[in-house]
Amino acid sequence: MGSHGTRGPRAVIIGMPGAGKTRIGREAARMLGIPFEDSDRRIEKRVGMSITRYFRDYGERRFRDLEADVIADLLTQSSGILSLGGGAPMTDSTRARLREYVGHGGRIVYLRADPQEAMERAVQSGGRPMLAGDARRRWTELFEQRDPVFSRIATCDMRTRSMSPTAAARRMIAMVNERVVHVPVEAGSDYDVRIGVGVMDQLPAMMGAGPVRVAIIHTASVQRYSDRARALLRKDGREVTEIVIPDAEAGKTVQVADGVWHRLADGGFTRSDAIVGIGGGAATDLAGFAAATWMRGIRYVNCPTSLLAMVDASTGGKTGVNIPEGKNLVGSFFTPAGVLADTGALASLPADIFIEGLGEVAKSGFIMDDEILRILSENARALRAFDGGSFTGSDLEPVVTELIERTVRVKVHHVASDLRESGLREYLNYGHTLGHAIEQSEHFRWRHGNAVAVGCVFAAELSRILGHLSDHDVEEHRRLLSSLGLPTSWSGGGWDDVLGLMHRDKKARGNTLRFVILDSMGHPRHLDDPPIEAVHEAFDRIRA
């Protein structure tokens, strides 16, 4: 077990002959101050001869058996960077070992070099028995066989075209350090949420080979990240259209969606093209809604830039817009191809926008993960004092990264088997019935995470009144949220107006009020049609 927390190497590198696996792997290991291992060199050391000679004397079958044994040893013994021979992952037993390694948190980096560059390097270096004869034709044949296998088994897909070994090593280290949450989707396509500094660099790979035209939908406040996405996509040969929408909830309307549809029509977007959403939760919601509705559904990738969007809106496949009568009443369930939560973007957030996102983080702790509550409590002072200018590289950065990962995992647990919110997924709405009513009453001048924080206190009070939570549990809600700088009370609209808004909430069933409360901390449940006096009393207890 390496010190990085995975069982085996820090990372395993795979790729075609000439991709630079040894060069880049050795440089990355040097930068990290950890060992570098090459399975081909280990094989030659074990048999006392070159691989070319072993191939000639014993044949490929015998070599692959030996290679598989050596790799099995290295996957348990190595704690550094491990580079595998070009054909190693094609052996069934080696693939099985690599899947086991990934299952324990390992990273497999597929170095995807420019085919012409890799082919030239492979041919020039010689000594490659699999390229005997017409080396260029043979390399192409091998690529066609191996690329689908490599793509399936890799956890990181890294393009190295025109990159120096040093730049490629830095990119690889960033990939290895990122957190990956896999989202299984019943009756749909699985996808990954990638969390870490610089993960936006993986946008072209996540976009896939198909889309020629890509629309970037973003707010003006995240222009620098849109510029980065545009440069990455154009370098990858895509035609890029930029569509700027208003900030926050003003960008999440039918009128804005209509403008996006017209821009897509004018740009000639077809069913095989794609959308990228960049910005906060409202922007990614709108981008997903546009993707879900254009030609009945096209590919899209979310690049959330706020903490709230990273932990909530960008994952789960909920897309939608608001209408005057309510929030998110028009929408669709439509999953992204992937989510790139680049934590470097948090450095540009004002403190109040960052703190707002902690409302959704705390909610996830209340309904499932008490480790989230512990991390929030122990780091409350630093989180409340968030300063974007000093965030990158600070002690707070890994804390926030872990909070994002844990919150996303809570969400995935609830959405993977319930895409359309018919049961388990509804537990994610803890605090939201009143929270949405507050947003509506305040004409969205209150931010979502702040409204949810008050809504969590309301739901806890209702749970206490009905005999489920203790006084201590409710006070813990108030104490934790207050320590983070989040509100725990509200002095806005009157009871009758709020009751009417709660009846229009998406979770309502006919004329029946429906809440999510806690049976105990970490154990949510549905509550249908509670005594209206209890609801009124809980409401009175959150009045400022």
Side-chain angles (χ1 to χ4, degrees):
M1 179 76 73
S3 60
H4 49 288
T6 63
R7 181 177 297 171
R10 181 73 171 268
V12 173
I13 306 174
I14 62 175
M16 287 295 293
K21 298 186 293 294
T22 301
R23 235 166 4 122
I24 294 169
R26 183 174 282 122
E27 179 65 11
R30 184 193 66 77
M31 289 178 176
L32 291 168
I34 58 178
F36 173 73
E37 292 273 10
D38 184 311
S39 65
D40 283 351
R41 301 292 81 78
R42 178 66 73 93
I43 291 167
E44 290 178 338
K45 189 174 180 182
R46 181 180 289 194
V47 299
M49 66 178 75
S50 70
I51 287 175
T52 304
R53 182 178 165 190
Y54 192 92
F55 242 85
R56 186 187 66 216
D57 292 353
Y58 298 101
E60 183 181 358
R61 177 69 180 273
R62 186 95 167 263
F63 170 76
R64 294 301 178 196
D65 289 344
L66 170 64
E67 180 182 54
D69 285 343
V70 168
I71 290 171
D73 289 343
L74 287 169
L75 285 172
T76 58
Q77 297 168 2
S78 173
S79 60
I81 304 289
L82 170 60
S83 170
L84 302 189
M90 303 303 288
T91 302
D92 289 345
S93 61
T94 296
R95 275 204 308 283
R97 297 274 188 175
L98 289 172
R99 282 193 291 269
E100 184 180 345
Y101 162 72
V102 170
H104 288 101
R107 298 281 192 265
I108 299 178
V109 181
Y110 177 14
L111 285 190
R112 192 187 289 274
D114 175 73
Q116 201 59 41
E117 289 178 6
M119 198 184 305
E120 290 297 331
R121 282 198 295 265
V123 171
Q124 288 169 13
S125 66
R128 297 179 187 267
M130 292 299 292
L131 299 182
D134 185 342
R136 286 178 173 78
R137 180 182 62 80
R138 183 68 181 132
W139 191 98
T140 303
E141 289 173 352
L142 289 173
F143 177 76
E144 290 173 357
Q145 295 167 14
R146 294 174 179 178
D147 179 61
V149 176
F150 290 3
S151 296
R152 278 196 301 272
I153 203 164
T155 62
C156 305
D157 191 313
M158 180 176 154
R159 285 165 164 76
T160 62
R161 183 176 184 177
S162 303
M163 293 180 75
S164 69
T166 300
R170 285 200 191 99
R171 169 85 58 89
M172 194 181 87
I173 289 169
M175 282 187 164
V176 169
N177 286 338
E178 75 187 24
R179 314 285 184 101
V180 181
V181 181
H182 183 68
V183 186
V185 181
E186 284 192 4
S189 298
D190 294 3
Y191 61 97
D192 287 334
V193 180
R194 296 182 174 272
I195 306 158
V197 176
V199 296
M200 188 184 275
D201 289 347
Q202 299 181 52
L203 180 58
M206 189 168 272
M207 188 56 59
V212 174
R213 299 174 191 84
V214 180
I216 300 176
I217 298 176
H218 69 95
T219 56
S221 59
V222 296
Q223 185 66 51
R224 61 180 289 197
Y225 301 106
S226 174
D227 290 346
R228 176 68 181 146
R230 184 180 67 243
L232 287 165
L233 292 167
R234 284 183 174 165
K235 187 177 180 182
D236 201 46
R238 325 277 181 152
E239 297 175 20
V240 180
T241 298
E242 274 195 80
I243 303 175
V244 182
I245 63 172
D247 268 320
E249 300 297 328
K252 201 174 146 180
T253 67
V254 177
Q255 292 73 25
V256 172
D258 183 62
V260 171
W261 293 325
H262 283 288
R263 288 289 305 276
L264 295 175
D266 292 343
F269 275 69
T270 68
R271 185 168 286 170
S272 61
D273 294 318
I275 284 172
V276 175
I278 303 178
T284 56
D285 274 1
L286 187 283
F289 182 67
T293 50
W294 185 251
M295 302 219 168
R296 298 187 176 90
I298 64 174
R299 190 175 182 88
Y300 81 107
V301 172
N302 274 334
C303 297
T305 58
S306 72
L307 179 60
L308 182 70
M310 289 180 188
V311 300
D312 184 30
S314 63
T315 301
K318 271 189 181 180
T319 75
V321 293
N322 307 326
I323 59 175
E325 289 76 13
K327 184 172 179 177
N328 295 325
L329 292 180
V330 179
S332 173
F333 292 98
F334 190 63
T335 54
V339 177
L340 297 172
D342 195 326
T343 53
L346 298 177
S348 63
L349 289 185
D352 61 330
I353 306 300
F354 173 83
I355 289 168
E356 173 215 359
L358 295 174
E360 282 285 352
V361 176
K363 176 213 74 179
S364 296
F366 293 141
I367 66 170
M368 180 177 163
D369 186 354
D370 58 5
E371 185 66 9
I372 288 176
L373 302 180
R374 184 193 66 78
I375 295 169
L376 288 172
S377 188
E378 289 185 0
N379 296 278
R381 180 174 295 180
L383 290 164
R384 185 172 185 163
F386 174 83
D387 173 27
S390 60
F391 174 69
T392 303
S394 69
D395 292 341
L396 189 61
E397 188 178 35
V399 172
V400 172
T401 302
E402 182 171 2
L403 286 170
I404 295 170
E405 180 186 9
R406 283 185 170 276
T407 306
V408 170
R409 288 194 186 280
V410 170
K411 183 156 192 177
V412 169
H413 171 80
H414 289 86
V415 306
S417 59
D418 184 19
L419 176 64
R420 298 187 176 276
E421 199 168 50
S422 57
L424 183 66
R425 183 173 185 153
E426 280 194 309
Y427 292 152
L428 293 169
N429 288 314
Y430 184 65
H432 283 59
T433 302
L434 180 67
H436 284 162
I438 290 173
E439 290 180 88
Q440 193 80 2
S441 294
E442 297 286 352
H443 305 288
F444 300 109
R445 289 187 296 268
W446 263 57
R447 294 197 165 271
H448 177 72
N450 293 341
V452 166
V454 176
C456 285
V457 176
F458 164 80
E461 289 282 12
L462 183 57
S463 302
R464 172 168 63 175
I465 292 164
L466 297 174
H468 299 289
L469 290 187
S470 68
D471 292 352
H472 173 75
D473 293 333
V474 179
E475 287 314 306
E476 272 301 292
H477 275 63
R478 293 182 185 277
R479 184 200 61 77
L480 178 64
L481 295 168
S482 295
S483 72
L484 295 168
L486 289 160
T488 57
S489 61
W490 177 62
S491 58
W495 163 246
D496 290 338
D497 291 338
V498 168
L499 183 62
L501 289 170
M502 290 195 293
H503 268 292
R504 287 211 296 266
D505 188 77
K506 299 189 304 303
K507 291 175 293 305
R509 299 288 187 268
N511 292 321
T512 301
L513 270 179
R514 186 172 171 89
F515 294 94
V516 176
I517 63 169
L518 297 181
D519 257 342
S520 59
M521 293 292 279
H523 296 90
R525 57 166 286 188
H526 294 117
L527 176 67
D528 290 335
D529 227 6
I532 198 67
E533 297 81 14
V535 179
H536 198 163
E537 183 181 347
F539 178 72
D540 285 343
R541 291 185 180 184
I542 59 91
R543 303 299 276 168

